[in-house]
C-alpha cells in the first residue's frame, strides 16, 4: 500500500482537493492519499467545499490537520501544492511540487478551474504510478472518472 501526502500551508484548499480526487480515482488496495499543512486553517475553504460538492465529493466533515513527522513517515510520496518557500520538506521522502494557485477567496469560476487542474494532475499521477481504480459504469458517467 502506497500513501501519497498532499501538503500545503493551510490544508484547506488545494491539498484537500488533491487528496479527495486521489482517493476517488485510485485503487484503494494499491494507494491512498492523506493531506496536511504546516499551518492548518480552521476548516476547508467554503469555495472549495462548494466546487467539490459540484463533483459529488463532500468535504464538509474534513478538518485540516498539521503536517507532523508521524504523518510524513506514513508517506511514499510528498506532493507540495505550489506554496513556494513555505512548502514543507520531508528529508528522504520522494517529492513533487505542483505550482497551483490558492483557491481561497477566488470567484467560483476560478475555483472550478483550479479544481479541474488538480483533478487532471491527480489523474496523471495515478495513471503514471499504476494506481488507477478499475473503471465501472458509474465512474464512466460521473465526474469521478
Amino acid at each position: 500500500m502506497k500513501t501519497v501526502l498532499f501538503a500545503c500551508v493551510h490544508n484547506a484548499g488545494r491539498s484537500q482537493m488533491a487528496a479527495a480526487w486521489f482517493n476517488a480515482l485510485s485503487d484503494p488496495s494499491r494507494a491512498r492519499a492523506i493531506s496536511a499543512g504546516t499551518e492548518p486553517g480552521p476548516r476547508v475553504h467554503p469555495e472549495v467545499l462548494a466546487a467539490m460538492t459540484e463533483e459529488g465529493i463532500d468535504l464538509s466533515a474534513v478538518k485540516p490537520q498539521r503536517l507532523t513527522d508521524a504523518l510524513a513517515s506514513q508517506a511514499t510520496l510528498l506532493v507540495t501544492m505550489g506554496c513556494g518557500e513555505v512548502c514543507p520538506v520531508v528529508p528522504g521522502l520522494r517529492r513533487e511540487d505542483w505550482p497551483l494557485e490558492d483557491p481561497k477567496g477566488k470567484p467560483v469560476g476560478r475555483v472550478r478551474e483550479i479544481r479541474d487542474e488538480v483533478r487532471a494532475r491527480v489523474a496523471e499521477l495515478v495513471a503514471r504510478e499504476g494506481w488507477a481504480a478499475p473503471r465501472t459504469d458509474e465512474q464512466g458517467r460521473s465526474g469521478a472518472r
Side-chain angles (χ1 to χ4, degrees), residues 41-143:
R43 67 187 183 289
V44 175
H45 302 313
E47 54 273 28
V48 170
L49 288 175
M52 293 301 285
T53 298
E54 291 175 355
E55 293 296 311
I57 297 175
D58 181 8
L59 296 178
S60 63
V62 175
K63 179 154 177 47
Q65 64 180 335
R66 181 168 307 282
L67 176 59
T68 63
D69 290 341
L71 201 58
S73 71
Q74 300 175 37
T76 306
L77 171 64
L78 170 65
V79 179
T80 54
M81 310 297 290
C83 40
E85 293 179 14
V86 295
C87 275
V89 174
V90 179
L93 192 56
R94 190 173 128 213
R95 180 175 174 219
E96 291 184 22
D97 184 60
W98 295 352
L100 295 164
E101 184 180 354
D102 187 349
K104 182 180 181 182
K106 301 288 188 289
V108 67
R110 183 64 191 129
V111 175
R112 287 178 182 134
E113 291 170 359
I114 295 166
R115 174 201 65 202
D116 294 347
E117 184 175 354
V118 169
R119 183 191 180 284
R121 286 175 179 263
V122 167
E124 190 278 326
L125 172 66
V126 166
R128 181 180 78 222
E129 297 292 333
W131 297 332
R135 290 185 58 104
T136 65
D137 285 343
E138 183 176 315
Q139 286 174 315
R141 288 190 308 267
S142 74

